[in-house]
C-alpha cells in the first residue's frame, strides 16, 4: 500500500481505548496511580441495578416505612410519597428521595411525583386512634384496636381508602411502563453513571483512523463520528464496560431500541463473555433518516460473530448473563459481505432507550388492604367472632367497605397488581411462616415487618400478578420463605 493511501494512525487513541476498557491491567494501574482514583468493584457497572423508581405511598406509616427500608436494602430506587417532608425526614432519614403529595388531592400527583416509576406500593390508611387520644409515637394504636375504643381522626375512609387509592391508581396508569418490559438504559435521563458506562471502540484498534463518541445531548444518547476506510479500516462503535453482575434478561423475547438514525444500517452486539476480544451476538438494523423508530431484536435472531465472521458452532445467547452492549457502524456485514447501506464519512445515531421486551408480567401496583373487607353485611356472619374492624365498620365510617371499593378501583385499572389483605397488624419482630388464604374468612395476626417483606417480594414474582389474598402468620419461625411456591398456590382474580 502506498503512503498516499494511508492515514496517520493515532497511537494515543489506541492506548486510550485499551485503558478505558481495562484490556491491559498495567495501563489501568498506571492511570489510577496518576489520577489518584483507585478502582474497586463498587465502581463497576451493575447489571442488577434497577433503573426505574419504586414509589411508596404512606411511607411514614408502620408498614410503609419498613417497605422503604427493605426496598433500599435490595437496591431499588425508592421515592417516598409523604404529606409532611420534615416529619418524613425524622422517620426515614436524609438519604431518601421524598416528594410531598396527598393522594386525596389528585392535582398533587404531578409528573414530578410520578416520573420514572416502575412500580407503586400503596400503604396508605385512614388515621385511627383511641377516643381518649394517643401518644406522639402512636403507642396505643400499635398495640392493636382490641385494646381501646377507636375513632377516625382527620380525613374520612371514603376519601382515603377509596377516592385516594383511586386517584393514585389513575395517576400510576399514566406513568407506569409497559408491564412486560424491562428498562435497561434510559438516555432521556442523563447521568454521570450512564455516561461513564459507554466508551468509543473504533477501528483504531485495527490500525484504522475512524473516530466516534457517544454524548448525552437533548435527552438522548448521540452516537456520532466519522468512518474512514483508510488503512483497511471502516468501522466505528461504542461499547459498554462489562457489567458485574451481568444483566439477567431471561424470560424476555429480546431487546428493543428507540432510535433516530441517518438512513444507514447499524449493528448491535450483546456479549455474554467478559473477554475483550470474544464472541459477540450481533443483529443488523436499518434506520430511517430523521425519523424515530422502534427496533425489535429477538434473541433468537442474534448471530454469533467473532471479528465479523459468523461462528457456526456457537451456542445460542445466554440471556441470563448479558455482560456488555455495543453499537456499530461498519462497511462490512458478516463473512466479508458489504453493508449495502454504508457510506463513509459523518454519521449520527440517536437513542432514547434500550429495553428488554415481551417478558413475564410482574405486579406493578402493590396495595395493602385488610382482611375482613367483604364481611360487613355478609349473610351468616357472627360479629362476636369477628375482628374489631368488622364489628366497628359502621362506627368507623365504613372503613372496610371503602377499602373494598379502593381494591375494586385497582382491579378495574388494567395495571398488574397484588392486593394484600393482612390480618391484625402487630409490632412483633416478624420472621414467622406465612399463611395465605383466599375468600376472606381468615383470622389471626401478622407482624408489620412481615407485611413489608411480602410487599417487596411480590414485586419479583409473576404468580403474584392479579391476585387478592389474606395473610396471617403461623406459629413457626422460619429462616427463609419459598416465595414462588407460596404464590403459586393462589388463584388469579376473575375480572
Amino acid at each position: 500500500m502506498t503512503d498516499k493511501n494511508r492515514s496517520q494512525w493515532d497511537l494515543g487513541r489506541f492506548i486510550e481505548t485499551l485503558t478505558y476498557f481495562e484490556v491491559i491491567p498495567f495501563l489501568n494501574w498506571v492511570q489510577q496511580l496518576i489520577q489518584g482514583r483507585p478502582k474497586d468493584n463498587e465502581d463497576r457497572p451493575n447489571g442488577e441495578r434497577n433503573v426505574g423508581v419504586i414509589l411508596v405511598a404512606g411511607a411514614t406509616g408502620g408498614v410503609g416505612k419498613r417497605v422503604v427500608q427493605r426496598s433500599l436494602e435490595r437496591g431499588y430506587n425508592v421515592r417516598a410519597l409523604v404529606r409532611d417532608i420534615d416529619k418524613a425526614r425524622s422517620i426515614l432519614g436524609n438519604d431518601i428521595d421524598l416528594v410531598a403529595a396527598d393522594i386525596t388531592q389528585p392535582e398533587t400527583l404531578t409528573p414530578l411525583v410520578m416520573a420514572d416509576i416502575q412500580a407503586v406500593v400503596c400503604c396508605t390508611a385512614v388515621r385511627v386512634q383511641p377516643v381518649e387520644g394517643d401518644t406522639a409515637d402512636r403507642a396505643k394504636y400499635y398495640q392493636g384496636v382490641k385494646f381501646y375504643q377507636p375513632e377516625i381522626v382527620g380525613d374520612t375512609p371514603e376519601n382515603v381508602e377509596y377516592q385516594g387509592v383511586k386517584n393514585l391508581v389513575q395517576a400510576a396508569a399514566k406513568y407506569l411502563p409497559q408491564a412486560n418490559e424491562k428498562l435497561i438504559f434510559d438516555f432521556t435521563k442523563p447521568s454521570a453513571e450512564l455516561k461513564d458506562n459507554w466508551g468509543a471502540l473504533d477501528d483504531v484498534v485495527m490500525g484504522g483512523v475512524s473516530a466516534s463518541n457517544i454524548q448525552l445531548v437533548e435527552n438522548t444518547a448521540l452516537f456520532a463520528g466519522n468512518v474512514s476506510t483508510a488503512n483497511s479500516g471502516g468501522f466505528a462503535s461504542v461499547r459498554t464496560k462489562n457489567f458485574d453482575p451481568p444483566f439477567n434478561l431471561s424470560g424476555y423475547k429480546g431487546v428493543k431500541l428507540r432510535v433516530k438514525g441517518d438512513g444507514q444500517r447499524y449493528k448491535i452486539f450483546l456479549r455474554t463473555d467478559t473477554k475483550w476480544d470474544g464472541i459477540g451476538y450481533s443483529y443488523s438494523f436499518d434506520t430511517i433518516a430523521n425519523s424515530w423508530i422502534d427496533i425489535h431484536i429477538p434473541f433468537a435472531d442474534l448471530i454469533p460473530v467473532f471479528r465479523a465472521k459468523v461462528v457456526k458452532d456457537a451456542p445460542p445467547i445466554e440471556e441470563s448473563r448479558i455482560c456488555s452492549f455495543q453499537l456499530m457502524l461498519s462497511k462490512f456485514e458478516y463473512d466479508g459481505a458489504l453493508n449495502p447501506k454504508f457510506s463513509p464519512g459523518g454519521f449520527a445515531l440517536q437513542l432514547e432507550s434500550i429495553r428488554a421486551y415481551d417478558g413475564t408480567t410482574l405486579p406493578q401496583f402493590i396495595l395493602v388492604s385488610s382482611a375482613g373487607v367483604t364481611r360487613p353485611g355478609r349473610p351468616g356472619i357472627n360479629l362476636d367472632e369477628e375482628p374489631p374492624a368488622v364489628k366497628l365498620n359502621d362506627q368507623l365510617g365504613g372503613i372496610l367497605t371503602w377499602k373494598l371499593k379502593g381494591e375494586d378501583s385497582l382491579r378495574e385499572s388494567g395495571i398488574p397488581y397484588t392486593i394484600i389483605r393482612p390480618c391484625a397488624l402487630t409490632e412483633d419482630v416478624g420472621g414467622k411462616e406465612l399463611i395465605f388464604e383466599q375468600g376472606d374468612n381468615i383470622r389471626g395476626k401478622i407482624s408489620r415487618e412481615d407485611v413489608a417483606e411480602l410487599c417487596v417480594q411480590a414485586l419479583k414474582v409473576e404468580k403474584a400478578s392479579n391476585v387478592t389474598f389474606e395473610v396471617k402468620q403461623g406459629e413457626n419461625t422460619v429462616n427463609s420463605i419459598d416465595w414462588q411456591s407460596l404464590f403459586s398456590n393462589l388463584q388469579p382474580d376473575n375480572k
Side-chain angles (χ1 to χ4, degrees):
M1 184 177 290
T2 63
D3 290 342
K4 66 180 182 180
N5 290 327
R6 292 193 61 82
S7 297
Q8 183 65 41
W9 180 63
D10 192 333
L11 175 62
R13 274 209 310 127
F14 174 71
I15 295 175
E16 220 174 79
T17 301
L18 298 187
T19 302
Y20 180 85
F21 290 102
E22 303 178 0
V23 179
I24 302 177
F26 175 74
L27 292 178
N28 293 92
W29 178 81
V30 172
Q31 182 192 51
Q32 294 157 23
L33 188 65
I34 294 172
Q35 296 182 355
R37 51 181 186 89
K39 290 265 188 178
D40 56 36
N41 286 335
E42 292 181 0
D43 297 321
R44 300 190 66 80
N46 184 346
E48 288 185 351
R49 63 179 168 65
N50 295 279
V51 178
V53 170
I54 306 297
L55 181 69
V56 181
T60 59
V63 173
K65 64 185 179 183
R66 292 171 167 94
V67 170
V68 169
Q69 178 186 4
R70 289 168 184 260
S71 298
L72 289 172
E73 289 170 354
R74 283 161 178 78
Y76 287 109
N77 298 322
V78 180
R79 181 178 303 143
L81 188 159
V82 299
R83 287 184 294 180
D84 186 327
I85 293 287
D86 291 335
K87 175 186 174 184
R89 292 225 179 276
S90 69
I91 295 172
L92 301 175
N94 295 318
D95 300 326
I96 178 71
D97 179 14
L98 298 176
V99 288
D102 186 336
I103 63 171
T104 68
Q105 300 175 25
E107 66 275 11
T108 68
L109 300 174
T110 63
L112 180 64
V113 172
M114 308 302 292
D116 307 322
I117 59 171
Q118 72 177 51
V120 176
V121 181
C122 182
C123 308
T124 56
V126 72
R127 188 178 179 90
V128 180
Q129 72 177 33
V131 171
E132 68 271 15
D134 204 345
T135 60
D137 60 358
R138 306 192 73 194
K140 292 182 181 178
Y141 167 76
Y142 287 132
Q143 290 178 22
V145 172
K146 66 181 180 180
F147 295 110
Y148 60 84
Q149 182 65 30
E151 67 175 355
I152 301 292
V153 291
D155 222 332
T156 66
E158 179 180 1
N159 281 345
V160 177
E161 309 289 0
Y162 168 52
Q163 195 59 57
V165 169
K166 184 178 180 180
N167 291 338
L168 185 59
V169 167
Q170 291 177 339
K174 298 175 184 176
Y175 291 92
L176 285 167
Q178 190 168 320
N180 60 354
E181 291 187 350
K182 176 184 177 68
L183 186 59
I184 302 172
F185 297 106
D186 182 4
F187 298 110
T188 68
K189 304 294 185 297
S191 68
E193 178 192 19
L194 199 57
K195 182 179 179 181
D196 291 344
N197 284 346
W198 291 80
L201 175 53
D202 301 320
D203 58 16
V204 67
V205 298
M206 310 293 288
V209 295
S210 300
S212 71
N213 60 32
I214 186 166
Q215 296 178 324
L216 301 179
V217 294
E218 299 178 351
N219 294 329
T220 66
L222 176 61
F223 168 39
N226 186 285
V227 177
S228 170
T229 57
N231 299 9
S232 301
F235 77 85
S237 79
V238 287
R239 177 173 164 177
T240 66
K241 296 177 180 178
N242 288 322
F243 285 83
D244 182 18
F247 283 95
N248 182 356
L249 302 183
S250 57
Y252 292 91
K253 184 177 180 180
V255 294
K256 179 175 73 172
L257 313 182
R258 177 73 175 165
V259 302
K260 182 168 75 171
D262 51 12
Q264 299 203 70
R265 176 175 293 180
Y266 292 81
K267 294 178 183 177
I268 184 172
F269 292 85
L270 280 64
R271 286 182 168 79
T272 59
D273 196 325
T274 58
K275 292 178 182 176
W276 160 253
D277 194 19
I279 292 176
Y281 289 80
S282 176
Y283 183 92
S284 298
F285 61 92
D286 294 330
T287 60
I288 301 173
N290 302 313
S291 295
W292 284 103
I293 58 175
D294 290 328
I295 306 293
H296 288 79
I297 302 164
F299 290 132
D301 292 350
L302 289 170
I303 300 171
V305 175
F306 180 72
R307 296 183 183 177
K309 296 185 183 299
V310 176
V311 181
K312 304 290 187 184
D313 57 351
I317 190 168
E318 189 178 353
E319 298 99 331
S320 63
R321 51 171 296 106
I322 307 300
C323 297
S324 69
F325 295 78
Q326 183 177 5
L327 293 163
M328 177 182 289
L329 176 62
S330 173
K331 72 174 182 180
F332 291 110
E333 279 285 275
Y334 311 104
D335 293 334
L338 294 175
N339 178 351
K341 297 193 175 183
F342 171 79
S343 60
F347 69 91
L349 178 71
Q350 285 180 274
L351 295 99
E352 278 191 352
S353 62
I354 301 178
R355 304 171 185 268
Y357 70 93
D358 274 4
T360 55
T361 297
L362 299 175
Q364 292 183 296
F365 198 115
I366 312 297
L367 175 62
V368 180
S369 181
S370 173
V373 293
T374 68
R375 298 179 210 177
R378 184 197 293 176
I381 286 288
N382 183 349
L383 289 180
D384 292 335
E385 298 177 352
E386 291 300 320
V390 178
K391 297 178 185 178
L392 300 174
N393 183 61
D394 292 341
Q395 294 95 308
L396 294 176
I399 184 171
L400 294 180
T401 303
W402 292 115
K403 279 183 180 289
L404 181 59
K405 287 181 68 68
E407 290 183 9
D408 289 339
S409 71
L410 177 55
R411 276 187 281 265
E412 295 163 2
S413 69
I415 300 172
Y417 64 83
T418 306
I419 297 174
I420 301 170
R421 294 171 170 174
C423 291
L425 296 169
T426 74
E427 287 292 289
D428 296 341
V429 295
K432 297 287 189 180
E433 62 180 335
L434 299 183
I435 298 170
F436 288 2
E437 287 191 15
Q438 292 177 295
D440 195 19
N441 297 301
I442 193 173
R443 300 178 183 87
K445 63 180 182 178
I446 184 171
S447 164
R448 290 180 175 88
E449 295 279 357
D450 288 339
V451 175
E453 181 67 16
L454 178 52
C455 289
V456 178
Q457 292 292 340
L459 291 169
K460 303 184 295 182
V461 181
E462 181 184 6
K463 290 289 188 180
S465 234
N466 300 328
V467 296
T468 302
F469 63 96
E470 299 77 51
V471 58
K472 68 176 180 179
Q473 69 186 38
E475 296 295 326
N476 301 320
T477 300
V478 293
N479 293 322
S480 63
I481 293 176
D482 184 343
W483 297 100
Q484 298 285 346
S485 175
L486 198 55
F487 278 105
S488 68
N489 295 321
L490 297 176
Q491 295 299 312
D493 295 340
N494 296 318
K495 295 189 293 181

